[in-house]
Amino acid sequence: MAARDGALTGLHDPAPTADLLVQIFDPVGRPRGTGFAADPEGTLVTSHEAVDGAARLLVRAGDAVTEVTGAAITPLPRLGLALLHTRGLGGPRPLPVAAPRAVGRGAYVRIAAGGWREARVLGTTTVTYTASDGPRLLDGALELALGTAGTDALRPGGGAAGGPVLDAETGAVLGVLGTTLHTAHRTAGFALPLTGADGPLAALLARNAATVPAYGADLNLAGAARLTAAASAPRVPAARPERVPRAEVTRHLETFAARGTHRPHGAAEAPEWAEAAEGTKAAEGTEAGGAAVLALVGPPGSGRTTELAALAAHRAAGAEASPTLWLRGSDLLAADPSLSAAASRALARAAVPGGCGARTPVASGMPGTPCAEDLRPERLARVAREGGRPLLLLLDAPEEMPDASAERLPEWAAATAAWLRTTGARLILACRPEYWERLGAAFPRALLYGPGTPAGRSLPPCVALGDLSLDEARLVRARHGIPDTALAPADARHPLTLRLLAEVRAECPEPGGRPDRHEILSAHLDLVCLRVAARLTGPAHPRGTAVRRLAAHVAGQVHAAARRCLGPGQGALDEASFALLFSGGATARPGAGPGAPARAGIQVGGDWVPAVLAEGLFVRTGDSHRFAHEELGDWLQGMHLDVEAALDALVLRGASYSAASRTEWYGAARPADGPAGSPPVPPAPSVPPHRIGPVVEALLLLARDRGTAELTYQLGRLVDALEVLMPAEPLAADLRPPPGTPLWWALRLLAETLLRVPDATPYTAVLDRLARRILARYAQARPVPAELGPPLWEAVRLRAAERFDLLRRLVVTDPAPGAPGDPACPRFLDAAARLLTADPAAVQPQLTRWFEDDRPLPATPHATVATAAQALLYTHRHGALDHLTEALADSAHPRGEELLAVLAEEEPSAMRRAVERWERDERPARRAAAVRYAPRARAREAGRALPHRTSPALPAGAATR
């Protein structure tokens, strides 16, 4: 301060409460009052008498002094209060404001008047406040019982005006002291409440509740967010900085998370995340509706946990955090009636010693401590709902529920749904499709959020998560420094594959070649085992031959762990089995024992568990251990699974197939490396449907290890089993096999394997047989499962010629619009239209081959397969007009001639270009076509009138999609 400001000695006197309070002075250094911060932005609350008539004030917090003038002073004389807006003061820490509630007579409080003093509340009364513009009556003032010293400290002009009155138990501000307040019977010991206000004060109180934690009776939104964050901390993984936002998934998550949010009364503005989410919600319309459950469904490695972690980090970011509680399926117990029980246990971990009931040491800056009542999820949900940000529970990997809990899923889901409805909380869970098929069916459908049932899946509404989009994958590769050509197309958009490849390339920057998913998983396993070995041996041993031998031994133990995970249950290792496998050399393999590390040339003893866990190969979940990457675990377990025995147990129930059946699928005798027959085996123990991963991986590895003929045979067994397993109900029946039944296993294993093979061309015989089965069932008016619908044939990796030959045969099974069943049922003609739109140059020649097929389309009256092809080519002609004219000319078919004639009339420029090309072509057919279409195209382009010619008939609805 400059000398002209006068005698400011008092302004720099030390204050024991400088970390919580500010002192307010006039420009010459005379004390006017005290204040406290109510938000992180530096907004101060004080009494009106501290600012009455002042245009300029000085505020001191610790050693910092700032000036407040003009608009930065907001007087609220009707309330006896004032707000000061400061910037750069550097403190003090904000104090929480108590929730609106009655303060009992005799309650203890602490007041800031010449230091912290204790007082008692005598009740509430109406007081008179005399400001410079006249007296006012203020209702609801707290009347305080003070000792003589306290009464002296509240004398007018002593600087106590505006000091906070704190609840002795919660540390929250109940009111603001006034020194000029009085009643007819009392002239000292009054405080004005901060509740029941509107305007600027209400907006400040809303920010206070959202940013300054309070507990106990005054639990607020910020306290709820702090408690859920503390409870989640041991579980939630760190958000990955290299993560690329996935626009579609983020849109759905934000729309759902923002549903039901609102600005608390008087709030000046909503937080940024709420505004963004409201924008997406407006775009979605009523998609969220009354939904309280969102399932993020995807296969292992698709990034389910990563997306949940990003959402949790997003909700925890900034000053105004939203209550978010992270749970895992392993947190549930078999006896839990609903999710609320697991939430209660998780919140109990956030308890702080001291609890409610202890007198809070306010002078040290402690605003209060949580108590048992705060840790009830029902109370947290109520506080969050009233604060405008409903409590969000994130449940990762519900597949990890104990077996006993999984058996009572319907009861658990019904109780959880009722709890969500009652409390207003919401749930986002991330799981495999196979698990959601069962769990989602147990929830009331009206409670589920989702854009609809995923095509080709008998799933309840959910948000599907798969591979990255082309742009997202390109950005991920760029961030990891992976060249676009470093991966096969089938793996180039898979999130986990890209991440693991980045880790491998960090150790071996130039691996060479073009590794596929199998090679990347294998390299990652080798790398992690080498890191474990290096950690076990310490820095004294570089990565030489001996360490590599130890790494090989670690890898052997990992494979032994994978074999044990194949047993009944949820695919995890109990504590004892895990400790036995990684106890310093013990192994489950015959003939190997604790001496293996010594034979490797390095003496390693003790427990390997810390090293294995530290390198992230396994994670501890509840009282068991699992592979950290579920996809890696499935792949390892698939290596040790007997495929034929598994299919017998899950699908075929011990049935054996004749040599004729084997010859039909192989085209010859079965390869010599397999048994000549499959003897019947007894049914295996019940396998949870979500444990399908190792079985699919075993089928895929079968083709890699033994050749495509072996996989063809096993897939053929599944196709043949469908005819026996599928019922013969009328077409209107909804064929949705219960999860875990033989039909369910046959359908899912067949579809998943065909979709996962990098090239389905070697399995054309399987697809051909499957198409014949579908056509036969359609001819008999029998239902066909959704798993065998158009999405399968559209997504399987085939050459265009084979794909469109199969689509041509199956298009006659399309249901008519409005037919019984699901009105949004996907159709083969729609699949053909999408493929045509995506790559017109490649698809147009394939559709011209449909011109020979005059079978009627039952779904479209008066149309045939041939006319449908014409309509598709005509409707989507603008994608590649020049290619279309060439494809039609190549077809040499009357229907192609018809379409060329229409193009000559409607697309004269394109036909003129085609004529110019054909006139220079040496092929006689092309020159003849140039002669036929040149006059019409040139005349039309010149604007001369031509006889009207109609366009090809368009099948209703389908070709225009």
Side-chain angles (χ1 to χ4, degrees):
M1 285 294 162
R4 62 181 177 83
D5 288 326
L8 301 180
T9 348
L11 193 62
H12 296 283
D13 289 343
T17 57
D19 60 336
L20 294 177
L21 303 178
V22 299
Q23 294 174 297
I24 303 170
F25 300 86
D26 64 15
V28 296
R30 291 188 296 263
R32 295 287 302 246
T34 303
F36 66 93
D39 65 13
E41 300 171 9
T43 306
L44 309 177
V45 179
T46 187
S47 67
H48 182 266
E49 62 185 275
V51 305
D52 189 23
R56 178 170 170 256
L57 295 168
L58 300 177
V59 177
R60 180 175 75 85
D63 294 329
V65 178
T66 188
E67 184 179 82
V68 182
T69 61
I73 303 174
T74 303
L76 303 171
R78 290 190 304 106
L79 303 173
L81 304 172
L83 305 181
L84 304 179
H85 306 279
T86 65
R87 291 290 185 271
L89 195 57
R93 288 179 292 148
L95 288 174
V97 176
R101 59 184 173 89
V103 182
R105 182 182 179 86
Y108 282 94
V109 295
R110 291 178 178 173
I111 65 173
W116 289 106
R117 302 175 185 275
E118 193 171 79
R120 296 184 70 185
V121 177
L122 298 177
T124 59
T125 185
T126 299
V127 296
T128 300
Y129 166 55
T130 303
S132 59
D133 58 351
R136 289 180 174 81
L137 292 178
L138 304 178
D139 296 326
L142 295 176
E143 188 173 2
L144 306 176
L146 302 168
T148 303
T151 302
D152 291 341
L154 289 181
R155 68 186 184 278
V165 176
L166 305 182
D167 186 295
E169 291 187 351
T170 68
V173 178
L174 294 170
V176 170
L177 291 171
T179 61
T180 61
L181 308 176
H182 63 89
T183 63
H185 65 279
R186 189 178 176 88
T187 59
F190 295 103
L192 297 173
L194 295 174
T195 57
D198 54 13
L201 181 59
L204 176 63
L205 295 181
R207 289 198 303 276
N208 179 272
T211 57
V212 186
Y215 304 104
D218 297 311
L219 180 68
N220 59 11
L221 187 62
R226 181 78 62 86
L227 287 173
T228 55
S232 302
R235 295 288 196 274
V236 62
R240 297 188 171 278
E242 74 276 8
R243 170 187 170 267
V244 171
R246 303 172 76 166
E248 189 68 11
V249 175
T250 301
R251 179 176 64 87
H252 285 298
L253 292 179
E254 289 187 349
T255 298
F256 177 79
R259 187 190 64 78
T261 59
H262 64 272
R263 299 182 184 182
H265 177 67
E269 59 184 16
E272 291 182 5
W273 67 265
E275 293 177 358
E278 285 298 324
T280 58
K281 182 177 178 182
E284 288 295 311
T286 59
E287 186 176 79
V293 179
L294 182 150
L296 189 61
V297 175
S302 58
R304 301 184 313 244
T305 301
T306 299
E307 292 303 313
L308 282 193
L311 177 63
H314 175 68
R315 287 174 63 86
E320 299 186 6
S322 300
T324 308
L325 182 62
W326 181 287
L327 301 168
R328 284 192 70 93
S330 58
D331 292 328
L332 276 69
L333 299 180
D336 286 349
S338 71
L339 188 62
S340 65
S344 297
R345 286 192 299 274
L347 288 166
R349 295 193 295 265
V352 177
C356 290
R359 303 296 282 276
T360 307
V362 177
S364 66
M366 187 74 170
T369 53
C371 62
E373 183 66 16
D374 294 345
L375 302 176
R376 292 179 60 245
E378 293 78 12
R379 182 159 191 247
L380 285 174
R382 177 181 61 79
V383 169
R385 184 180 67 247
E386 292 173 354
R389 299 180 204 165
L391 172 65
L392 181 63
L393 291 90
L394 304 178
L395 178 58
D396 190 24
E399 300 95 329
E400 297 174 2
M401 284 185 187
D403 292 340
S405 298
E407 292 173 0
R408 29 186 304 276
L409 269 184
E411 296 84 0
W412 182 89
T416 298
W419 183 80
L420 292 172
R421 285 197 187 103
T422 302
T423 61
R426 292 202 295 280
L427 168 65
I428 297 180
L429 56 90
C431 63
R432 300 180 70 129
E434 297 79 17
Y435 194 81
W436 179 241
E437 184 174 357
R438 184 182 177 196
L439 178 58
F443 279 107
R445 196 173 184 88
L447 216 62
L448 303 181
Y449 173 94
T453 302
R457 285 282 197 174
S458 302
L459 294 180
C462 61
V463 175
L465 190 67
D467 284 350
L468 301 166
S469 69
L470 290 173
D471 291 338
E472 291 165 353
R474 190 177 298 111
L475 185 54
V476 169
R477 292 194 297 270
R479 289 187 178 181
H480 286 304
I482 301 173
D484 290 343
T485 58
L487 280 164
D491 304 316
R493 297 191 292 124
H494 189 257
L496 183 61
T497 300
L498 292 172
R499 177 179 157 194
L500 298 186
L501 178 60
E503 292 184 19
V504 172
R505 288 175 61 87
E507 296 288 331
C508 180
E510 298 297 333
R514 201 179 193 190
D516 60 14
R517 173 180 160 277
H518 173 90
E519 293 167 332
I520 292 170
L521 290 173
S522 180
H524 172 75
L525 177 62
D526 293 343
L527 175 61
V528 175
C529 291
L530 189 63
R531 287 174 177 169
V532 171
R535 187 180 288 269
L536 290 171
T537 58
H541 296 274
R543 292 186 180 181
T545 302
V547 175
R548 288 197 294 271
R549 288 176 181 169
L550 179 57
H553 185 66
V554 174
Q557 301 304 95
V558 173
H559 279 276
R563 285 194 295 273
R564 292 200 178 201
C565 288
L566 284 171
Q570 304 292 336
L573 288 173
D574 58 68
E575 195 77 40
S577 297
F578 189 76
L580 176 64
L581 286 169
F582 299 103
S583 58
T587 181
R589 293 180 301 175
R599 289 194 300 270
I602 299 176
Q603 296 296 328
V604 178
D607 191 3
W608 291 11
V609 170
V612 172
L613 294 178
E615 290 301 332
L617 189 54
F618 290 86
V619 292
R620 192 188 307 271
T621 57
D623 57 355
S624 61
H625 291 81
R626 298 174 180 272
F627 284 97
H629 299 306
E630 188 178 2
E631 184 176 16
L632 177 65
D634 287 350
W635 174 75
L636 279 168
Q637 294 169 58
M639 289 184 177
H640 304 284
L641 184 67
D642 185 333
V643 174
E644 187 142 347
L647 296 188
D648 283 338
L650 297 173
V651 179
L652 307 172
R653 300 304 192 215
S656 62
Y657 281 81
S658 65
S661 173
R662 297 169 186 275
T663 302
E664 177 182 3
W665 286 111
Y666 278 109
R670 189 171 179 203
D673 61 354
S678 299
V681 294
S686 177
V687 178
H690 63 270
R691 295 284 291 131
I692 192 175
V695 189
V696 174
E697 294 290 347
L699 286 166
L700 295 172
L701 289 167
L702 200 64
R704 185 181 186 91
D705 296 340
R706 298 189 187 179
T708 58
E710 180 68 22
L711 180 56
T712 298
Y713 167 68
Q714 299 296 350
L715 293 178
R717 299 176 73 202
L718 294 175
V719 172
D720 288 345
L722 290 178
E723 189 61 25
V724 179
L725 296 172
M726 285 194 292
E729 283 86 359
L731 185 60
D734 183 14
L735 181 51
R736 295 188 179 185
T741 60
L743 177 56
W744 184 94
W745 280 106
L747 289 169
R748 287 302 171 87
L749 289 173
L750 186 62
E752 289 295 322
T753 306
L754 287 172
L755 290 171
R756 291 276 303 277
V757 292
D759 179 14
T761 304
Y763 313 104
T764 305
V766 176
L767 293 166
D768 176 78
R769 182 70 168 266
L770 189 58
R772 282 189 274 134
R773 298 284 189 194
I774 293 173
L775 289 168
R777 291 188 66 83
Y778 178 78
Q780 299 165 6
R782 294 182 179 182
V784 176
E787 285 79 2
L788 305 182
L792 169 66
W793 307 87
E794 183 180 353
V796 68
R797 296 182 177 98
L798 278 173
R799 292 192 298 260
E802 286 83 358
R803 187 193 312 278
F804 274 85
D805 181 62
L806 292 166
L807 291 177
R808 177 189 60 79
R809 295 163 58 191
L810 293 169
V811 75
V812 297
T813 67
D814 280 344
D822 187 358
C825 179
R827 299 196 288 171
F828 288 98
L829 199 58
D830 296 332
R834 285 191 294 270
L835 292 167
L836 174 60
T837 303
D839 191 359
V843 172
Q844 287 164 349
Q846 308 306 324
L847 283 175
T848 62
R849 299 178 183 177
W850 292 21
F851 290 164
E852 299 287 348
D853 194 337
D854 287 320
R855 289 177 301 161
L857 288 179
T860 308
H862 313 298
T864 66
V865 175
T867 57
Q870 274 187 307
L872 284 174
L873 291 170
Y874 173 79
T875 303
H876 301 280
R877 64 189 183 276
H878 295 106
L881 265 174
D882 291 339
H883 286 88
L884 177 58
T885 55
E886 295 299 324
L888 293 173
D890 285 338
S891 70
H893 193 278
R895 294 194 182 278
E897 298 284 342
E898 291 177 6
L899 191 49
L900 280 172
V902 172
L903 293 179
E905 182 174 325
E906 298 192 9
E907 305 291 344
S909 297
M911 282 304 298
R912 176 184 53 78
R913 293 194 299 271
V915 167
E916 292 174 352
R917 291 194 303 271
W918 298 340
E919 287 174 340
R920 299 190 298 269
D921 200 304
E922 295 182 357
R923 290 172 289 181
R926 284 292 197 272
R927 293 190 176 184
V931 171
R932 285 197 306 274
Y933 295 109
R936 179 174 295 274
R938 287 166 180 161
R940 185 67 176 176
E941 196 171 27
R944 294 197 293 272
L946 293 171
H948 178 70
R949 183 181 294 270
T950 59
S951 61
L954 186 65
T960 59
R961 296 183 183 179

